[in-house]
Amino acid sequence: MLAANLLVKKREGEQLSDDEIRFLIDGFCDGSVTDYQMSAFAMAVCLKGMSPGETECLTRAMLESGGRMPRTCSGDTPRVDKHSTGGLGDKVSVILAPLLAACGVHVPMISGRGLGLTGGTLDKLESIPGFRTDLNESECDGALRDVGAFIVSASDQIAPADRRLYALRDVTGTVESISLITASILSKKLAANLDALVMDVKVGSAAFMPSLNQASALAESICRVGSACGLPTSVLISDMDQPLGSAVGNAIEINESLAILRGECRDQPTVERARELTMLLCSELLVATKASFDYKQARDRLEDALQGGHALERLMAMIAQQHGRLDGPLPLAKKHVIEATHDGWVRRIDSRTIGLTVVEMGGGRRRVGDPIDHSVGVAMQVLVGDRVVRGQPLMEVYCSSPGQQDEVNRLSATIELGEQPAEPIPLILNAGS
């Protein structure tokens, strides 16, 4: 087989055989298929799609490019994880992992970096001084045994094909593909030897899936492939027409996660959405693994873990286990407050522009290897449907770049006010398994 011939075949919309898909992935790993050829393959898949059978084979091939995590330290303890398809302000993993650990299940989380305009959990955690996301197998075992959770990057041993392809997709405009997203997510999750997975599929202007139909198709793909590969998978479809929570950025999202775990934000509607989504996802996993009999018992256990401070203790222990040092809120760049210029109702939030502007401010990457300024970000003060008055803060911008006034002006235009009331956007748009 020749890689170039397979690229032409997929470009023309033809199906690739299992052997052909494995040839490309194996060649990508051993260097006989180059980065530019794999980028061309990703573009062809984006444009022409893949059949369910092709997607399952791609997932298995990417999984088998590396090994699986052993279950040595877990024994009969349920192993669970959650994954989000990405969005603005999605700091759920930082809250969910220690919260579930405090409820007696293990969370071996293999996470990713920023992709397109969406933030990456690893980038957020690396805003904590000293925090390491490259733990070896022994260190991961120790973290599960001592803490019950870790959040690490996909190593050379865990789905290495995905790690390399993920970086290429970020900078070649090939993110929004149901098959590539499915294979990327599940190759890592299958490698973790999980008992249950819950997916948070985002839909909206700042999501990879802008319509509910597309989000539903991705949810179906993930559930189908996960089940075929022996991993029980459930899905929530959640809103991404506005940021999740208040904070959008890296250090600022860690600060908000800490505030949620301390119980400090129950009176802030923007932050409450992030807390509520976390609770729903955690409940799915506790019920799926029979760690709780039903959703009410799951919710009660989670509330106890939060209110008793046990989840916060687990987060601080996880940070220490991964060599991080966190003594208080992380420092942020200079603050600029955007206020309402007139009375009205919040009719629309241009979340896509918010995400792109945060990247331009240094909070994300334009190219592989770009450094990140963890101190930049925004804090949303309103939601769609809110009534506001002239002079009321709409958004706080944390920016240290020379062109900060241009970026503040751009962000000022992302919140559209109208004279007539607007309907709030529901947090959960659909659910399925």
mmCIF file of all heavy atoms in Angstrom, residues 266 272 275-280 283 286-287 292 294-305:
data_model
loop_
_atom_site.group_PDB
_atom_site.id
_atom_site.type_symbol
_atom_site.label_atom_id
_atom_site.label_comp_id
_atom_site.label_asym_id
_atom_site.label_seq_id
_atom_site.Cartn_x
_atom_site.Cartn_y
_atom_site.Cartn_z
ATOM 1 N N ARG A 266 -22.506 29.947 45.246
ATOM 2 C CA ARG A 266 -23.890 29.518 45.060
ATOM 3 C C ARG A 266 -24.833 30.661 44.696
ATOM 4 O O ARG A 266 -25.935 30.431 44.210
ATOM 5 C CB ARG A 266 -24.397 28.819 46.335
ATOM 6 C CG ARG A 266 -23.666 27.551 46.710
ATOM 7 C CD ARG A 266 -23.638 26.533 45.559
ATOM 8 N NE ARG A 266 -24.960 26.164 45.113
ATOM 9 C CZ ARG A 266 -25.667 25.162 45.620
ATOM 10 N NH1 ARG A 266 -25.165 24.445 46.610
ATOM 11 N NH2 ARG A 266 -26.871 24.868 45.148
ATOM 12 N N GLU A 272 -22.971 28.959 38.845
ATOM 13 C CA GLU A 272 -23.842 27.857 39.236
ATOM 14 C C GLU A 272 -24.069 26.876 38.078
ATOM 15 O O GLU A 272 -24.234 25.668 38.308
ATOM 16 C CB GLU A 272 -25.184 28.405 39.732
ATOM 17 C CG GLU A 272 -26.175 27.345 40.203
ATOM 18 C CD GLU A 272 -25.659 26.496 41.358
ATOM 19 O OE1 GLU A 272 -24.769 26.945 42.092
ATOM 20 O OE2 GLU A 272 -26.155 25.360 41.508
ATOM 21 N N ARG A 275 -21.253 24.405 38.166
ATOM 22 C CA ARG A 275 -21.441 23.482 39.282
ATOM 23 C C ARG A 275 -22.516 22.452 38.967
ATOM 24 O O ARG A 275 -22.343 21.257 39.211
ATOM 25 C CB ARG A 275 -21.817 24.262 40.545
ATOM 26 C CG ARG A 275 -21.949 23.415 41.802
ATOM 27 C CD ARG A 275 -22.486 24.263 42.955
ATOM 28 N NE ARG A 275 -22.394 23.588 44.227
ATOM 29 C CZ ARG A 275 -23.282 22.717 44.695
ATOM 30 N NH1 ARG A 275 -24.343 22.396 43.964
ATOM 31 N NH2 ARG A 275 -23.117 22.163 45.899
ATOM 32 N N GLU A 276 -23.635 22.915 38.418
ATOM 33 C CA GLU A 276 -24.757 22.014 38.141
ATOM 34 C C GLU A 276 -24.395 20.969 37.089
ATOM 35 O O GLU A 276 -24.729 19.786 37.239
ATOM 36 C CB GLU A 276 -25.979 22.820 37.695
ATOM 37 C CG GLU A 276 -27.195 21.972 37.324
ATOM 38 C CD GLU A 276 -27.730 21.146 38.494
ATOM 39 O OE1 GLU A 276 -27.411 21.439 39.653
ATOM 40 O OE2 GLU A 276 -28.485 20.185 38.219
ATOM 41 N N LEU A 277 -23.715 21.377 36.041
ATOM 42 C CA LEU A 277 -23.327 20.411 35.014
ATOM 43 C C LEU A 277 -22.389 19.355 35.604
ATOM 44 O O LEU A 277 -22.501 18.164 35.299
ATOM 45 C CB LEU A 277 -22.656 21.118 33.835
ATOM 46 C CG LEU A 277 -22.217 20.209 32.685
ATOM 47 C CD1 LEU A 277 -23.383 19.404 32.129
ATOM 48 C CD2 LEU A 277 -21.562 21.020 31.574
ATOM 49 N N THR A 278 -21.470 19.787 36.451
ATOM 50 C CA THR A 278 -20.567 18.844 37.105
ATOM 51 C C THR A 278 -21.351 17.821 37.922
ATOM 52 O O THR A 278 -21.071 16.614 37.869
ATOM 53 C CB THR A 278 -19.579 19.589 38.014
ATOM 54 O OG1 THR A 278 -18.885 20.577 37.258
ATOM 55 C CG2 THR A 278 -18.576 18.622 38.622
ATOM 56 N N MET A 279 -22.339 18.274 38.656
ATOM 57 C CA MET A 279 -23.139 17.377 39.486
ATOM 58 C C MET A 279 -23.916 16.379 38.633
ATOM 59 O O MET A 279 -24.020 15.188 38.981
ATOM 60 C CB MET A 279 -24.099 18.179 40.358
ATOM 61 C CG MET A 279 -23.403 19.136 41.317
ATOM 62 S SD MET A 279 -22.454 18.285 42.592
ATOM 63 C CE MET A 279 -23.722 18.032 43.819
ATOM 64 N N LEU A 280 -24.445 16.822 37.517
ATOM 65 C CA LEU A 280 -25.191 15.921 36.630
ATOM 66 C C LEU A 280 -24.277 14.848 36.043
ATOM 67 O O LEU A 280 -24.645 13.658 35.987
ATOM 68 C CB LEU A 280 -25.853 16.723 35.506
ATOM 69 C CG LEU A 280 -26.990 17.665 35.924
ATOM 70 C CD1 LEU A 280 -27.402 18.550 34.757
ATOM 71 C CD2 LEU A 280 -28.184 16.873 36.449
ATOM 72 N N SER A 283 -23.281 12.356 38.731
ATOM 73 C CA SER A 283 -24.404 11.473 39.065
ATOM 74 C C SER A 283 -24.541 10.351 38.052
ATOM 75 O O SER A 283 -24.807 9.189 38.419
ATOM 76 C CB SER A 283 -25.704 12.285 39.141
ATOM 77 O OG SER A 283 -25.656 13.241 40.184
ATOM 78 N N LEU A 286 -21.862 7.705 38.934
ATOM 79 C CA LEU A 286 -22.122 6.965 40.165
ATOM 80 C C LEU A 286 -23.239 5.948 39.968
ATOM 81 O O LEU A 286 -23.166 4.821 40.493
ATOM 82 C CB LEU A 286 -22.470 7.931 41.304
ATOM 83 C CG LEU A 286 -21.328 8.819 41.807
ATOM 84 C CD1 LEU A 286 -21.822 9.748 42.911
ATOM 85 C CD2 LEU A 286 -20.146 7.990 42.305
ATOM 86 N N VAL A 287 -24.254 6.306 39.209
ATOM 87 C CA VAL A 287 -25.352 5.373 38.938
ATOM 88 C C VAL A 287 -24.908 4.287 37.962
ATOM 89 O O VAL A 287 -25.233 3.101 38.142
ATOM 90 C CB VAL A 287 -26.589 6.132 38.408
ATOM 91 C CG1 VAL A 287 -27.664 5.158 37.935
ATOM 92 C CG2 VAL A 287 -27.151 7.055 39.480
ATOM 93 N N SER A 292 -23.953 4.303 43.384
ATOM 94 C CA SER A 292 -25.169 4.832 43.997
ATOM 95 C C SER A 292 -26.362 4.110 43.392
ATOM 96 O O SER A 292 -26.340 3.747 42.209
ATOM 97 C CB SER A 292 -25.301 6.341 43.771
ATOM 98 O OG SER A 292 -24.295 7.054 44.464
ATOM 99 N N ASP A 294 -29.467 5.264 42.876
ATOM 100 C CA ASP A 294 -30.256 6.080 41.959
ATOM 101 C C ASP A 294 -29.682 7.497 41.955
ATOM 102 O O ASP A 294 -28.722 7.812 42.676
ATOM 103 C CB ASP A 294 -31.740 6.085 42.352
ATOM 104 C CG ASP A 294 -31.969 6.524 43.806
ATOM 105 O OD1 ASP A 294 -31.151 7.310 44.341
ATOM 106 O OD2 ASP A 294 -32.966 6.086 44.416
ATOM 107 N N TYR A 295 -30.286 8.372 41.151
ATOM 108 C CA TYR A 295 -29.758 9.724 40.985
ATOM 109 C C TYR A 295 -29.900 10.554 42.259
ATOM 110 O O TYR A 295 -29.052 11.393 42.546
ATOM 111 C CB TYR A 295 -30.446 10.418 39.806
ATOM 112 C CG TYR A 295 -30.041 9.828 38.483
ATOM 113 C CD1 TYR A 295 -30.881 8.951 37.810
ATOM 114 C CD2 TYR A 295 -28.805 10.129 37.908
ATOM 115 C CE1 TYR A 295 -30.501 8.381 36.593
ATOM 116 C CE2 TYR A 295 -28.416 9.566 36.703
ATOM 117 C CZ TYR A 295 -29.268 8.697 36.053
ATOM 118 O OH TYR A 295 -28.888 8.134 34.860
ATOM 119 N N LYS A 296 -30.950 10.315 43.043
ATOM 120 C CA LYS A 296 -31.113 11.068 44.286
ATOM 121 C C LYS A 296 -30.007 10.722 45.273
ATOM 122 O O LYS A 296 -29.397 11.616 45.891
ATOM 123 C CB LYS A 296 -32.475 10.795 44.912
ATOM 124 C CG LYS A 296 -32.690 11.598 46.206
ATOM 125 C CD LYS A 296 -34.016 11.288 46.865
ATOM 126 C CE LYS A 296 -34.231 12.168 48.090
ATOM 127 N NZ LYS A 296 -33.098 12.096 49.064
ATOM 128 N N GLN A 297 -29.725 9.430 45.417
ATOM 129 C CA GLN A 297 -28.651 9.052 46.328
ATOM 130 C C GLN A 297 -27.306 9.580 45.836
ATOM 131 O O GLN A 297 -26.479 10.045 46.629
ATOM 132 C CB GLN A 297 -28.577 7.524 46.471
ATOM 133 C CG GLN A 297 -27.569 7.105 47.534
ATOM 134 C CD GLN A 297 -27.280 5.624 47.527
ATOM 135 O OE1 GLN A 297 -26.959 5.059 46.486
ATOM 136 N NE2 GLN A 297 -27.391 4.980 48.690
ATOM 137 N N ALA A 298 -27.107 9.537 44.522
ATOM 138 C CA ALA A 298 -25.864 10.069 43.956
ATOM 139 C C ALA A 298 -25.725 11.553 44.267
ATOM 140 O O ALA A 298 -24.660 12.021 44.697
ATOM 141 C CB ALA A 298 -25.834 9.831 42.448
ATOM 142 N N ARG A 299 -26.805 12.289 44.063
ATOM 143 C CA ARG A 299 -26.762 13.734 44.302
ATOM 144 C C ARG A 299 -26.488 14.031 45.782
ATOM 145 O O ARG A 299 -25.700 14.936 46.102
ATOM 146 C CB ARG A 299 -28.094 14.351 43.870
ATOM 147 C CG ARG A 299 -28.134 15.875 43.937
ATOM 148 C CD ARG A 299 -27.263 16.467 42.840
ATOM 149 N NE ARG A 299 -27.287 17.905 42.863
ATOM 150 C CZ ARG A 299 -27.508 18.668 41.795
ATOM 151 N NH1 ARG A 299 -27.693 18.106 40.607
ATOM 152 N NH2 ARG A 299 -27.504 19.974 41.873
ATOM 153 N N ASP A 300 -27.103 13.274 46.667
ATOM 154 C CA ASP A 300 -26.878 13.486 48.094
ATOM 155 C C ASP A 300 -25.414 13.243 48.458
ATOM 156 O O ASP A 300 -24.819 14.001 49.240
ATOM 157 C CB ASP A 300 -27.783 12.557 48.913
ATOM 158 C CG ASP A 300 -29.254 12.961 48.844
ATOM 159 O OD1 ASP A 300 -29.538 14.101 48.437
ATOM 160 O OD2 ASP A 300 -30.106 12.115 49.198
ATOM 161 N N ARG A 301 -24.829 12.187 47.913
ATOM 162 C CA ARG A 301 -23.419 11.882 48.207
ATOM 163 C C ARG A 301 -22.502 12.993 47.699
ATOM 164 O O ARG A 301 -21.536 13.381 48.364
ATOM 165 C CB ARG A 301 -23.025 10.550 47.558
ATOM 166 C CG ARG A 301 -23.656 9.327 48.187
ATOM 167 C CD ARG A 301 -23.084 8.070 47.570
ATOM 168 N NE ARG A 301 -21.668 7.902 47.899
ATOM 169 C CZ ARG A 301 -20.883 6.994 47.349
ATOM 170 N NH1 ARG A 301 -21.362 6.190 46.404
ATOM 171 N NH2 ARG A 301 -19.624 6.885 47.702
ATOM 172 N N LEU A 302 -22.805 13.488 46.516
ATOM 173 C CA LEU A 302 -21.979 14.547 45.934
ATOM 174 C C LEU A 302 -22.080 15.842 46.742
ATOM 175 O O LEU A 302 -21.072 16.516 46.988
ATOM 176 C CB LEU A 302 -22.405 14.786 44.481
ATOM 177 C CG LEU A 302 -22.137 13.628 43.515
ATOM 178 C CD1 LEU A 302 -22.918 13.806 42.223
ATOM 179 C CD2 LEU A 302 -20.645 13.510 43.216
ATOM 180 N N GLU A 303 -23.290 16.189 47.162
ATOM 181 C CA GLU A 303 -23.472 17.396 47.977
ATOM 182 C C GLU A 303 -22.718 17.262 49.299
ATOM 183 O O GLU A 303 -22.091 18.230 49.767
ATOM 184 C CB GLU A 303 -24.957 17.649 48.236
ATOM 185 C CG GLU A 303 -25.759 18.076 47.000
ATOM 186 C CD GLU A 303 -25.459 19.493 46.541
ATOM 187 O OE1 GLU A 303 -24.665 20.198 47.210
ATOM 188 O OE2 GLU A 303 -26.002 19.899 45.495
ATOM 189 N N ASP A 304 -22.762 16.086 49.892
ATOM 190 C CA ASP A 304 -22.039 15.867 51.147
ATOM 191 C C ASP A 304 -20.535 16.041 50.937
ATOM 192 O O ASP A 304 -19.840 16.634 51.780
ATOM 193 C CB ASP A 304 -22.328 14.465 51.685
ATOM 194 C CG ASP A 304 -23.734 14.328 52.261
ATOM 195 O OD1 ASP A 304 -24.387 15.369 52.494
ATOM 196 O OD2 ASP A 304 -24.185 13.179 52.461
ATOM 197 N N ALA A 305 -20.028 15.511 49.815
ATOM 198 C CA ALA A 305 -18.590 15.615 49.541
ATOM 199 C C ALA A 305 -18.165 17.061 49.326
ATOM 200 O O ALA A 305 -17.062 17.463 49.716
ATOM 201 C CB ALA A 305 -18.232 14.769 48.319
#
